[in-house]
Structures are given as structure tokens and as C-alpha cells.
Amino acid sequence: MNELVEECEKLNLMLRNSHEYKRYHKALSNLRRNSELYEAYIGFVQKNEEIQIVYQENALEELQRLYSDYDEMLHNSVVNEFIRAERRFFALLKEMLGAVASGVDIVYHDDFVEGK
């Protein structure tokens, strides 16, 4: 087990040294420099999550209204760069997790409930 943890620590260092991670943090720093813009972005993210939780399947109209309300902020170059950097970094994380978990056969709690 210690060997696995050590390898994960190496992987963590590689991740922190990746272009995607550095670009993400640079974009985040740029966004945070403008506190008003940063707060507006955080407000947008929170409202977006709230809409998706509350409205679930019928969220389209509410999301369209939200995007319309925040259109100018979303087209700001600093916000746009952060969103793109965040997506690229999260895509890398997803790909890494997929590679790590590939072929690992486990039973999820839902599988027990459904009798699988």
C-alpha cells in the first residue's frame, strides 16, 4: 500500500507541473485580481448549480435566463479564459481517473440494492 501512495504522490507532482494545471491557476489568479468580476462569476456558478438541483429535468428555461442575465460577464476575456482553462484541467483529471480506475472491478452500493 505504501508503494501505491508513493506513486500517487509522484502523479500528484506531475499533475501540479502540467501545462493544464499551471494554466488553470494562472487564469484563476487573473480572475481573482478583479474582485467584482470574481464575485459575479461565483454568483453565476452558484445560481447555475441551484437551478440544476431545483429544476433538474426542466431547467432549460431557467438556465437560458441565467445565461442571458450573465451574458456580458461570461464573454469577458478573463472569465472566458478561466472557464476554458478549468474545462481543460478537469478533462485531464477525468482522463487520469479513468486510466487509474480502468479494469478495477468493484461493487457499488446501488448494485447491492438492485441485486446485481
Side-chain angles (χ1 to χ4, degrees), residues 87-110:
R87 287 186 179 159
R88 285 187 181 116
F89 179 63
F90 287 162
L92 174 62
L93 282 177
K94 182 179 177 182
E95 188 176 347
M96 290 174 64
L97 289 173
V100 168
S102 177
V104 176
D105 186 22
I106 60 173
V107 177
Y108 293 99
H109 174 73
D110 292 344

PDB file of all heavy atoms in Angstrom, residues 87-110:
ATOM      1  N   ARG A  87     -12.027  23.841 -17.759  1.00  0.00           N
ATOM      2  CA  ARG A  87     -12.538  22.685 -18.500  1.00  0.00           C
ATOM      3  C   ARG A  87     -11.415  21.773 -18.963  1.00  0.00           C
ATOM      4  O   ARG A  87     -11.532  20.546 -18.894  1.00  0.00           O
ATOM      5  CB  ARG A  87     -13.385  23.133 -19.683  1.00  0.00           C
ATOM      6  CG  ARG A  87     -14.728  23.664 -19.252  1.00  0.00           C
ATOM      7  CD  ARG A  87     -15.623  23.977 -20.406  1.00  0.00           C
ATOM      8  NE  ARG A  87     -16.901  24.463 -19.904  1.00  0.00           N
ATOM      9  CZ  ARG A  87     -17.733  25.183 -20.603  1.00  0.00           C
ATOM     10  NH1 ARG A  87     -17.446  25.502 -21.850  1.00  0.00           N
ATOM     11  NH2 ARG A  87     -18.864  25.593 -20.078  1.00  0.00           N
ATOM     12  N   ARG A  88     -10.340  22.356 -19.440  1.00  0.00           N
ATOM     13  CA  ARG A  88      -9.205  21.537 -19.888  1.00  0.00           C
ATOM     14  C   ARG A  88      -8.570  20.780 -18.718  1.00  0.00           C
ATOM     15  O   ARG A  88      -8.216  19.612 -18.846  1.00  0.00           O
ATOM     16  CB  ARG A  88      -8.170  22.406 -20.598  1.00  0.00           C
ATOM     17  CG  ARG A  88      -8.608  22.818 -21.978  1.00  0.00           C
ATOM     18  CD  ARG A  88      -7.503  23.536 -22.738  1.00  0.00           C
ATOM     19  NE  ARG A  88      -7.972  23.927 -24.046  1.00  0.00           N
ATOM     20  CZ  ARG A  88      -8.095  25.186 -24.447  1.00  0.00           C
ATOM     21  NH1 ARG A  88      -7.766  26.170 -23.642  1.00  0.00           N
ATOM     22  NH2 ARG A  88      -8.531  25.455 -25.656  1.00  0.00           N
ATOM     23  N   PHE A  89      -8.438  21.466 -17.582  1.00  0.00           N
ATOM     24  CA  PHE A  89      -7.854  20.814 -16.419  1.00  0.00           C
ATOM     25  C   PHE A  89      -8.759  19.689 -15.913  1.00  0.00           C
ATOM     26  O   PHE A  89      -8.299  18.587 -15.616  1.00  0.00           O
ATOM     27  CB  PHE A  89      -7.581  21.827 -15.309  1.00  0.00           C
ATOM     28  CG  PHE A  89      -7.004  21.201 -14.071  1.00  0.00           C
ATOM     29  CD1 PHE A  89      -5.764  20.578 -14.100  1.00  0.00           C
ATOM     30  CD2 PHE A  89      -7.713  21.200 -12.893  1.00  0.00           C
ATOM     31  CE1 PHE A  89      -5.244  19.979 -12.961  1.00  0.00           C
ATOM     32  CE2 PHE A  89      -7.198  20.604 -11.751  1.00  0.00           C
ATOM     33  CZ  PHE A  89      -5.958  19.991 -11.793  1.00  0.00           C
ATOM     34  N   PHE A  90     -10.054  19.944 -15.826  1.00  0.00           N
ATOM     35  CA  PHE A  90     -10.982  18.912 -15.372  1.00  0.00           C
ATOM     36  C   PHE A  90     -11.060  17.748 -16.356  1.00  0.00           C
ATOM     37  O   PHE A  90     -11.246  16.603 -15.944  1.00  0.00           O
ATOM     38  CB  PHE A  90     -12.355  19.487 -15.082  1.00  0.00           C
ATOM     39  CG  PHE A  90     -12.410  20.312 -13.820  1.00  0.00           C
ATOM     40  CD1 PHE A  90     -13.450  21.196 -13.607  1.00  0.00           C
ATOM     41  CD2 PHE A  90     -11.432  20.225 -12.839  1.00  0.00           C
ATOM     42  CE1 PHE A  90     -13.512  21.961 -12.442  1.00  0.00           C
ATOM     43  CE2 PHE A  90     -11.476  20.977 -11.687  1.00  0.00           C
ATOM     44  CZ  PHE A  90     -12.524  21.844 -11.486  1.00  0.00           C
ATOM     45  N   ALA A  91     -10.907  18.030 -17.638  1.00  0.00           N
ATOM     46  CA  ALA A  91     -10.877  16.946 -18.632  1.00  0.00           C
ATOM     47  C   ALA A  91      -9.649  16.070 -18.401  1.00  0.00           C
ATOM     48  O   ALA A  91      -9.726  14.840 -18.502  1.00  0.00           O
ATOM     49  CB  ALA A  91     -10.871  17.516 -20.042  1.00  0.00           C
ATOM     50  N   LEU A  92      -8.530  16.692 -18.073  1.00  0.00           N
ATOM     51  CA  LEU A  92      -7.317  15.929 -17.761  1.00  0.00           C
ATOM     52  C   LEU A  92      -7.528  15.072 -16.522  1.00  0.00           C
ATOM     53  O   LEU A  92      -7.175  13.881 -16.511  1.00  0.00           O
ATOM     54  CB  LEU A  92      -6.133  16.877 -17.556  1.00  0.00           C
ATOM     55  CG  LEU A  92      -4.824  16.242 -17.083  1.00  0.00           C
ATOM     56  CD1 LEU A  92      -4.299  15.228 -18.103  1.00  0.00           C
ATOM     57  CD2 LEU A  92      -3.784  17.323 -16.806  1.00  0.00           C
ATOM     58  N   LEU A  93      -8.120  15.642 -15.480  1.00  0.00           N
ATOM     59  CA  LEU A  93      -8.400  14.875 -14.262  1.00  0.00           C
ATOM     60  C   LEU A  93      -9.310  13.682 -14.554  1.00  0.00           C
ATOM     61  O   LEU A  93      -9.064  12.572 -14.069  1.00  0.00           O
ATOM     62  CB  LEU A  93      -9.065  15.760 -13.202  1.00  0.00           C
ATOM     63  CG  LEU A  93      -8.182  16.704 -12.430  1.00  0.00           C
ATOM     64  CD1 LEU A  93      -9.028  17.548 -11.481  1.00  0.00           C
ATOM     65  CD2 LEU A  93      -7.106  15.964 -11.670  1.00  0.00           C
ATOM     66  N   LYS A  94     -10.344  13.922 -15.342  1.00  0.00           N
ATOM     67  CA  LYS A  94     -11.273  12.847 -15.690  1.00  0.00           C
ATOM     68  C   LYS A  94     -10.555  11.743 -16.451  1.00  0.00           C
ATOM     69  O   LYS A  94     -10.763  10.552 -16.180  1.00  0.00           O
ATOM     70  CB  LYS A  94     -12.422  13.408 -16.532  1.00  0.00           C
ATOM     71  CG  LYS A  94     -13.467  12.388 -16.892  1.00  0.00           C
ATOM     72  CD  LYS A  94     -14.592  13.019 -17.704  1.00  0.00           C
ATOM     73  CE  LYS A  94     -15.596  11.954 -18.111  1.00  0.00           C
ATOM     74  NZ  LYS A  94     -16.661  12.522 -18.940  1.00  0.00           N
ATOM     75  N   GLU A  95      -9.709  12.126 -17.384  1.00  0.00           N
ATOM     76  CA  GLU A  95      -8.951  11.131 -18.152  1.00  0.00           C
ATOM     77  C   GLU A  95      -8.003  10.344 -17.249  1.00  0.00           C
ATOM     78  O   GLU A  95      -7.888   9.122 -17.360  1.00  0.00           O
ATOM     79  CB  GLU A  95      -8.164  11.830 -19.264  1.00  0.00           C
ATOM     80  CG  GLU A  95      -7.512  10.882 -20.229  1.00  0.00           C
ATOM     81  CD  GLU A  95      -6.826  11.610 -21.383  1.00  0.00           C
ATOM     82  OE1 GLU A  95      -7.055  12.819 -21.580  1.00  0.00           O
ATOM     83  OE2 GLU A  95      -6.053  10.945 -22.093  1.00  0.00           O
ATOM     84  N   MET A  96      -7.358  11.045 -16.317  1.00  0.00           N
ATOM     85  CA  MET A  96      -6.447  10.372 -15.387  1.00  0.00           C
ATOM     86  C   MET A  96      -7.196   9.400 -14.488  1.00  0.00           C
ATOM     87  O   MET A  96      -6.745   8.268 -14.269  1.00  0.00           O
ATOM     88  CB  MET A  96      -5.700  11.409 -14.539  1.00  0.00           C
ATOM     89  CG  MET A  96      -4.682  12.218 -15.315  1.00  0.00           C
ATOM     90  SD  MET A  96      -3.967  13.545 -14.324  1.00  0.00           S
ATOM     91  CE  MET A  96      -3.129  12.600 -13.049  1.00  0.00           C
ATOM     92  N   LEU A  97      -8.320   9.829 -13.952  1.00  0.00           N
ATOM     93  CA  LEU A  97      -9.102   8.950 -13.082  1.00  0.00           C
ATOM     94  C   LEU A  97      -9.606   7.736 -13.844  1.00  0.00           C
ATOM     95  O   LEU A  97      -9.642   6.628 -13.300  1.00  0.00           O
ATOM     96  CB  LEU A  97     -10.260   9.716 -12.455  1.00  0.00           C
ATOM     97  CG  LEU A  97      -9.872  10.739 -11.399  1.00  0.00           C
ATOM     98  CD1 LEU A  97     -11.090  11.564 -10.974  1.00  0.00           C
ATOM     99  CD2 LEU A  97      -9.234  10.078 -10.192  1.00  0.00           C
ATOM    100  N   GLY A  98      -9.976   7.946 -15.090  1.00  0.00           N
ATOM    101  CA  GLY A  98     -10.405   6.827 -15.918  1.00  0.00           C
ATOM    102  C   GLY A  98      -9.288   5.828 -16.119  1.00  0.00           C
ATOM    103  O   GLY A  98      -9.504   4.611 -16.043  1.00  0.00           O
ATOM    104  N   ALA A  99      -8.077   6.335 -16.348  1.00  0.00           N
ATOM    105  CA  ALA A  99      -6.930   5.450 -16.541  1.00  0.00           C
ATOM    106  C   ALA A  99      -6.599   4.702 -15.259  1.00  0.00           C
ATOM    107  O   ALA A  99      -6.293   3.500 -15.285  1.00  0.00           O
ATOM    108  CB  ALA A  99      -5.719   6.254 -17.015  1.00  0.00           C
ATOM    109  N   VAL A 100      -6.682   5.366 -14.131  1.00  0.00           N
ATOM    110  CA  VAL A 100      -6.377   4.735 -12.844  1.00  0.00           C
ATOM    111  C   VAL A 100      -7.407   3.664 -12.509  1.00  0.00           C
ATOM    112  O   VAL A 100      -7.073   2.578 -12.032  1.00  0.00           O
ATOM    113  CB  VAL A 100      -6.310   5.792 -11.710  1.00  0.00           C
ATOM    114  CG1 VAL A 100      -6.284   5.135 -10.345  1.00  0.00           C
ATOM    115  CG2 VAL A 100      -5.093   6.690 -11.892  1.00  0.00           C
ATOM    116  N   ALA A 101      -8.676   3.955 -12.774  1.00  0.00           N
ATOM    117  CA  ALA A 101      -9.743   3.032 -12.387  1.00  0.00           C
ATOM    118  C   ALA A 101     -10.047   1.977 -13.450  1.00  0.00           C
ATOM    119  O   ALA A 101     -10.806   1.042 -13.187  1.00  0.00           O
ATOM    120  CB  ALA A 101     -11.011   3.820 -12.077  1.00  0.00           C
ATOM    121  N   SER A 102      -9.453   2.095 -14.619  1.00  0.00           N
ATOM    122  CA  SER A 102      -9.727   1.156 -15.704  1.00  0.00           C
ATOM    123  C   SER A 102      -9.432  -0.282 -15.276  1.00  0.00           C
ATOM    124  O   SER A 102      -8.359  -0.588 -14.768  1.00  0.00           O
ATOM    125  CB  SER A 102      -8.887   1.509 -16.932  1.00  0.00           C
ATOM    126  OG  SER A 102      -9.103   0.580 -17.955  1.00  0.00           O
ATOM    127  N   GLY A 103     -10.403  -1.135 -15.448  1.00  0.00           N
ATOM    128  CA  GLY A 103     -10.218  -2.547 -15.127  1.00  0.00           C
ATOM    129  C   GLY A 103     -10.398  -2.890 -13.666  1.00  0.00           C
ATOM    130  O   GLY A 103     -10.339  -4.061 -13.289  1.00  0.00           O
ATOM    131  N   VAL A 104     -10.624  -1.897 -12.820  1.00  0.00           N
ATOM    132  CA  VAL A 104     -10.851  -2.146 -11.397  1.00  0.00           C
ATOM    133  C   VAL A 104     -12.321  -2.496 -11.233  1.00  0.00           C
ATOM    134  O   VAL A 104     -13.203  -1.707 -11.545  1.00  0.00           O
ATOM    135  CB  VAL A 104     -10.481  -0.915 -10.539  1.00  0.00           C
ATOM    136  CG1 VAL A 104     -10.826  -1.158  -9.078  1.00  0.00           C
ATOM    137  CG2 VAL A 104      -9.011  -0.572 -10.707  1.00  0.00           C
ATOM    138  N   ASP A 105     -12.582  -3.701 -10.764  1.00  0.00           N
ATOM    139  CA  ASP A 105     -13.950  -4.201 -10.640  1.00  0.00           C
ATOM    140  C   ASP A 105     -14.380  -4.109  -9.187  1.00  0.00           C
ATOM    141  O   ASP A 105     -13.854  -4.806  -8.320  1.00  0.00           O
ATOM    142  CB  ASP A 105     -14.012  -5.646 -11.131  1.00  0.00           C
ATOM    143  CG  ASP A 105     -15.426  -6.186 -11.179  1.00  0.00           C
ATOM    144  OD1 ASP A 105     -16.374  -5.375 -11.239  1.00  0.00           O
ATOM    145  OD2 ASP A 105     -15.578  -7.413 -11.158  1.00  0.00           O
ATOM    146  N   ILE A 106     -15.311  -3.202  -8.925  1.00  0.00           N
ATOM    147  CA  ILE A 106     -15.844  -3.057  -7.567  1.00  0.00           C
ATOM    148  C   ILE A 106     -17.364  -3.059  -7.643  1.00  0.00           C
ATOM    149  O   ILE A 106     -17.949  -2.850  -8.694  1.00  0.00           O
ATOM    150  CB  ILE A 106     -15.352  -1.767  -6.875  1.00  0.00           C
ATOM    151  CG1 ILE A 106     -15.798  -0.526  -7.671  1.00  0.00           C
ATOM    152  CG2 ILE A 106     -13.848  -1.786  -6.701  1.00  0.00           C
ATOM    153  CD1 ILE A 106     -15.496   0.778  -6.977  1.00  0.00           C
ATOM    154  N   VAL A 107     -17.989  -3.299  -6.512  1.00  0.00           N
ATOM    155  CA  VAL A 107     -19.441  -3.298  -6.430  1.00  0.00           C
ATOM    156  C   VAL A 107     -19.851  -2.018  -5.722  1.00  0.00           C
ATOM    157  O   VAL A 107     -19.378  -1.714  -4.632  1.00  0.00           O
ATOM    158  CB  VAL A 107     -19.955  -4.534  -5.648  1.00  0.00           C
ATOM    159  CG1 VAL A 107     -21.461  -4.474  -5.499  1.00  0.00           C
ATOM    160  CG2 VAL A 107     -19.524  -5.807  -6.346  1.00  0.00           C
ATOM    161  N   TYR A 108     -20.731  -1.261  -6.362  1.00  0.00           N
ATOM    162  CA  TYR A 108     -21.255  -0.043  -5.780  1.00  0.00           C
ATOM    163  C   TYR A 108     -22.441  -0.362  -4.881  1.00  0.00           C
ATOM    164  O   TYR A 108     -23.111  -1.373  -5.074  1.00  0.00           O
ATOM    165  CB  TYR A 108     -21.707   0.929  -6.872  1.00  0.00           C
ATOM    166  CG  TYR A 108     -20.573   1.463  -7.694  1.00  0.00           C
ATOM    167  CD1 TYR A 108     -20.294   0.915  -8.934  1.00  0.00           C
ATOM    168  CD2 TYR A 108     -19.766   2.491  -7.228  1.00  0.00           C
ATOM    169  CE1 TYR A 108     -19.247   1.380  -9.713  1.00  0.00           C
ATOM    170  CE2 TYR A 108     -18.723   2.970  -7.992  1.00  0.00           C
ATOM    171  CZ  TYR A 108     -18.467   2.412  -9.232  1.00  0.00           C
ATOM    172  OH  TYR A 108     -17.420   2.892  -9.986  1.00  0.00           O
ATOM    173  N   HIS A 109     -22.715   0.502  -3.946  1.00  0.00           N
ATOM    174  CA  HIS A 109     -23.844   0.325  -3.034  1.00  0.00           C
ATOM    175  C   HIS A 109     -25.148   0.113  -3.809  1.00  0.00           C
ATOM    176  O   HIS A 109     -25.950  -0.741  -3.465  1.00  0.00           O
ATOM    177  CB  HIS A 109     -23.977   1.525  -2.090  1.00  0.00           C
ATOM    178  CG  HIS A 109     -25.189   1.489  -1.235  1.00  0.00           C
ATOM    179  ND1 HIS A 109     -25.310   0.618  -0.172  1.00  0.00           N
ATOM    180  CD2 HIS A 109     -26.360   2.148  -1.309  1.00  0.00           C
ATOM    181  CE1 HIS A 109     -26.504   0.767   0.374  1.00  0.00           C
ATOM    182  NE2 HIS A 109     -27.152   1.715  -0.283  1.00  0.00           N
ATOM    183  N   ASP A 110     -25.340   0.883  -4.876  1.00  0.00           N
ATOM    184  CA  ASP A 110     -26.559   0.735  -5.688  1.00  0.00           C
ATOM    185  C   ASP A 110     -26.694  -0.678  -6.273  1.00  0.00           C
ATOM    186  O   ASP A 110     -27.799  -1.166  -6.459  1.00  0.00           O
ATOM    187  CB  ASP A 110     -26.585   1.761  -6.829  1.00  0.00           C
ATOM    188  CG  ASP A 110     -26.740   3.179  -6.312  1.00  0.00           C
ATOM    189  OD1 ASP A 110     -27.134   3.354  -5.135  1.00  0.00           O
ATOM    190  OD2 ASP A 110     -26.481   4.117  -7.090  1.00  0.00           O
TER     191      ASP A 110
END
